Amino acid sequence: GQQLNQSPQSMFIQEGEDVSMNCTSSSIFNTWLWYKQDPGEGPVLLIALYKAGELTSNGRLTAQFGITRKDSFLNISASIPSDVGIYFCAGRSGGGTSYGKLTFGQGTILTVHP
Amino acid sequence: EAGVAQSPRYKIIEKRQSVAFWCNPISGHATLYWYQQILGQGPKLLIQFQNNGVVDDSQLPKDRFSAERLKGVDSTLKIQPAKLEDSAVYLCASSFGTSSEQYFGPGTRLTVT
């Protein structure tokens, strides 16, 4: 089946620093999504990317859909303590019975020191 | 707009017992998903419904897991009998359609002892 490799597994940064994480896949995806999950909660959608090469921002967050359609990255600028959480990438392939199915990465645990 | 509701939030059972989880999706969302999230991993899709029909249940362990969405709105996921390895968070998500973005509920944390 499809697998996503997300890195790094964890990051410890100082408040105000920039953060970068990425996801690579063995398969092509039509959509890349980035979610954040806080303890005891479900994942919350941060950014959705629909086209190869697309660069999208949401406040201090910027994400890109790789040209090969097999990778994506997420940047967080000027981190703040509330950025703490687990960030997941997810890819969605199209067509057939698996349409809509998301494949998730293993997550990046972000810790921000004040 | 109300989000995806799930209950219970926590459940502790012994192995070989049965358990059921309930999900109420966002109003108007035709597609409903159940995911299993084991500690330290990303969510893994168990089953996907479009209205009250199953679209994908290829990763559902059908010998012990079952799910239904009888009226195309609420859904229940059942495990019978439970095993230790079923300890996980069970997440429900819904979307307007199969190509629309998914919104997740808070999950049910299951511990099997």
Side-chain angles (χ1 to χ4, degrees), chain B:
Chain B
E1 178 183 89
V4 177
Q6 289 188 248
S7 68
R9 293 295 310 273
Y10 305 92
K11 191 75 177 178
I12 301 174
I13 62 172
E14 295 182 350
K15 60 184 179 184
R16 291 187 289 272
Q17 286 186 326
S18 62
V19 64
F21 312 127
W22 173 82
C23 173
N24 180 241
I26 292 172
S27 178
H29 280 194
T31 312
L32 185 146
Y33 312 79
W34 283 101
Y35 289 86
Q36 181 191 58
Q37 186 176 23
I38 292 172
L39 187 64
Q41 299 181 18
K44 183 187 86 172
L45 180 70
L46 292 175
I47 189 167
Q48 176 183 342
F49 291 94
Q50 178 68 18
N51 295 308
N52 60 350
V54 175
V55 174
D56 184 350
D57 63 356
S58 57
Q59 299 201 78
L60 187 74
K62 298 182 188 63
D63 57 335
R64 298 183 301 106
F65 286 63
S66 65
E68 60 183 14
R69 194 184 184 200
L70 290 175
K71 296 182 180 178
V73 180
D74 294 3
S75 177
T76 55
L77 175 70
K78 296 178 182 176
I79 308 175
Q80 182 179 14
K83 292 185 175 181
L84 295 176
E85 59 261 35
D86 298 332
S87 294
V89 174
Y90 290 84
L91 294 163
C92 179
S94 71
S95 64
F96 187 74
T98 55
S99 59
S100 306
E101 298 329 324
Q102 298 177 27
Y103 295 86
F104 285 81
T108 297
R109 181 174 295 279
L110 174 68
T111 302
V112 182
T113 62

Side-chain angles (χ1 to χ4, degrees), chain A residues 62-77:
Chain A
T62 302
Q64 184 158 27
F65 191 144
I67 290 290
T68 65
R69 294 166 64 192
K70 291 184 177 181
D71 62 316
S72 176
F73 73 74
L74 174 71
N75 285 345
I76 305 173
S77 63

